[in-house]
PDB file of all heavy atoms in Angstrom:
ATOM      1  N   ASP G 137      -5.962  16.804  -6.262  1.00 98.00           N
ATOM      2  CA  ASP G 137      -4.650  17.115  -5.644  1.00 98.00           C
ATOM      3  C   ASP G 137      -3.534  16.583  -6.481  1.00 98.00           C
ATOM      4  O   ASP G 137      -3.578  15.458  -6.987  1.00 98.00           O
ATOM      5  CB  ASP G 137      -4.589  16.462  -4.239  1.00 98.00           C
ATOM      6  CG  ASP G 137      -5.487  17.144  -3.246  1.00 98.00           C
ATOM      7  OD1 ASP G 137      -5.121  18.240  -2.794  1.00 98.00           O
ATOM      8  OD2 ASP G 137      -6.543  16.587  -2.931  1.00 98.00           O
ATOM      9  N   ILE G 138      -2.496  17.408  -6.619  1.00 98.00           N
ATOM     10  CA  ILE G 138      -1.247  16.991  -7.263  1.00 98.00           C
ATOM     11  C   ILE G 138      -0.132  17.121  -6.254  1.00 98.00           C
ATOM     12  O   ILE G 138      -0.009  18.164  -5.570  1.00 98.00           O
ATOM     13  CB  ILE G 138      -0.921  17.879  -8.500  1.00 98.00           C
ATOM     14  CG1 ILE G 138      -2.008  17.750  -9.560  1.00 98.00           C
ATOM     15  CG2 ILE G 138       0.428  17.493  -9.086  1.00 98.00           C
ATOM     16  CD1 ILE G 138      -1.801  18.710 -10.767  1.00 98.00           C
ATOM     17  N   LEU G 139       0.650  16.086  -6.118  1.00 98.00           N
ATOM     18  CA  LEU G 139       1.796  16.086  -5.202  1.00 98.00           C
ATOM     19  C   LEU G 139       3.041  15.638  -5.988  1.00 98.00           C
ATOM     20  O   LEU G 139       3.046  14.563  -6.565  1.00 98.00           O
ATOM     21  CB  LEU G 139       1.552  15.134  -4.019  1.00 98.00           C
ATOM     22  CG  LEU G 139       2.671  15.098  -2.975  1.00 98.00           C
ATOM     23  CD1 LEU G 139       2.829  16.449  -2.304  1.00 98.00           C
ATOM     24  CD2 LEU G 139       2.388  13.995  -1.916  1.00 98.00           C
ATOM     25  N   LEU G 140       4.041  16.488  -5.963  1.00 96.00           N
ATOM     26  CA  LEU G 140       5.277  16.216  -6.658  1.00 96.00           C
ATOM     27  C   LEU G 140       6.387  15.950  -5.664  1.00 96.00           C
ATOM     28  O   LEU G 140       6.477  16.617  -4.668  1.00 96.00           O
ATOM     29  CB  LEU G 140       5.619  17.391  -7.572  1.00 96.00           C
ATOM     30  CG  LEU G 140       4.563  17.895  -8.534  1.00 96.00           C
ATOM     31  CD1 LEU G 140       5.033  19.106  -9.291  1.00 96.00           C
ATOM     32  CD2 LEU G 140       4.110  16.780  -9.458  1.00 96.00           C
ATOM     33  N   LEU G 141       7.234  14.967  -5.956  1.00 93.00           N
ATOM     34  CA  LEU G 141       8.401  14.674  -5.124  1.00 93.00           C
ATOM     35  C   LEU G 141       9.652  14.977  -5.890  1.00 93.00           C
ATOM     36  O   LEU G 141       9.768  14.659  -7.106  1.00 93.00           O
ATOM     37  CB  LEU G 141       8.388  13.206  -4.720  1.00 93.00           C
ATOM     38  CG  LEU G 141       7.524  12.786  -3.512  1.00 93.00           C
ATOM     39  CD1 LEU G 141       6.059  12.922  -3.849  1.00 93.00           C
ATOM     40  CD2 LEU G 141       7.853  11.371  -3.034  1.00 93.00           C
ATOM     41  N   ALA G 142      10.615  15.601  -5.238  1.00 89.00           N
ATOM     42  CA  ALA G 142      11.916  15.864  -5.836  1.00 89.00           C
ATOM     43  C   ALA G 142      12.986  15.788  -4.771  1.00 89.00           C
ATOM     44  O   ALA G 142      12.734  15.879  -3.578  1.00 89.00           O
ATOM     45  CB  ALA G 142      11.938  17.254  -6.482  1.00 89.00           C
ATOM     46  N   ALA G 143      14.222  15.560  -5.218  1.00 86.00           N
ATOM     47  CA  ALA G 143      15.316  15.422  -4.286  1.00 86.00           C
ATOM     48  C   ALA G 143      15.726  16.763  -3.680  1.00 86.00           C
ATOM     49  O   ALA G 143      15.987  17.716  -4.415  1.00 86.00           O
ATOM     50  CB  ALA G 143      16.514  14.780  -4.976  1.00 86.00           C
ATOM     51  N   ALA G 144      15.789  16.826  -2.356  1.00 86.00           N
ATOM     52  CA  ALA G 144      16.099  18.069  -1.664  1.00 86.00           C
ATOM     53  C   ALA G 144      17.481  18.545  -2.057  1.00 86.00           C
ATOM     54  O   ALA G 144      17.686  19.762  -2.296  1.00 86.00           O
ATOM     55  CB  ALA G 144      16.015  17.873  -0.167  1.00 86.00           C
ATOM     56  N   GLN G 145      18.439  17.659  -2.161  1.00 80.00           N
ATOM     57  CA  GLN G 145      19.798  18.092  -2.452  1.00 80.00           C
ATOM     58  C   GLN G 145      19.932  18.625  -3.900  1.00 80.00           C
ATOM     59  O   GLN G 145      20.785  19.442  -4.192  1.00 80.00           O
ATOM     60  CB  GLN G 145      20.822  16.966  -2.227  1.00 80.00           C
ATOM     61  CG  GLN G 145      20.623  15.751  -3.096  1.00 80.00           C
ATOM     62  CD  GLN G 145      19.693  14.681  -2.407  1.00 80.00           C
ATOM     63  OE1 GLN G 145      19.013  15.029  -1.483  1.00 80.00           O
ATOM     64  NE2 GLN G 145      19.733  13.483  -2.922  1.00 80.00           N
ATOM     65  N   ALA G 146      19.017  18.152  -4.781  1.00 79.00           N
ATOM     66  CA  ALA G 146      19.040  18.677  -6.149  1.00 79.00           C
ATOM     67  C   ALA G 146      18.530  20.126  -6.173  1.00 79.00           C
ATOM     68  O   ALA G 146      19.081  20.948  -6.896  1.00 79.00           O
ATOM     69  CB  ALA G 146      18.153  17.788  -7.018  1.00 79.00           C
ATOM     70  N   ILE G 147      17.533  20.409  -5.384  1.00 80.00           N
ATOM     71  CA  ILE G 147      17.005  21.762  -5.324  1.00 80.00           C
ATOM     72  C   ILE G 147      18.010  22.705  -4.724  1.00 80.00           C
ATOM     73  O   ILE G 147      18.130  23.892  -5.133  1.00 80.00           O
ATOM     74  CB  ILE G 147      15.675  21.785  -4.523  1.00 80.00           C
ATOM     75  CG1 ILE G 147      14.608  20.981  -5.267  1.00 80.00           C
ATOM     76  CG2 ILE G 147      15.207  23.212  -4.291  1.00 80.00           C
ATOM     77  CD1 ILE G 147      13.367  20.767  -4.491  1.00 80.00           C
ATOM     78  N   ASP G 148      18.825  22.196  -3.772  1.00 77.00           N
ATOM     79  CA  ASP G 148      19.857  23.041  -3.162  1.00 77.00           C
ATOM     80  C   ASP G 148      21.038  23.285  -4.086  1.00 77.00           C
ATOM     81  O   ASP G 148      21.890  24.139  -3.796  1.00 77.00           O
ATOM     82  CB  ASP G 148      20.388  22.373  -1.888  1.00 77.00           C
ATOM     83  CG  ASP G 148      19.333  22.326  -0.796  1.00 77.00           C
ATOM     84  OD1 ASP G 148      18.421  23.168  -0.826  1.00 77.00           O
ATOM     85  OD2 ASP G 148      19.490  21.511   0.123  1.00 77.00           O
TER      86      ASP G 148
END
Side-chain angles (χ1 to χ4, degrees):
D137 289 284
I138 298 175
L139 181 64
L140 309 177
L141 279 68
Q145 63 269 16
I147 294 171
D148 290 339

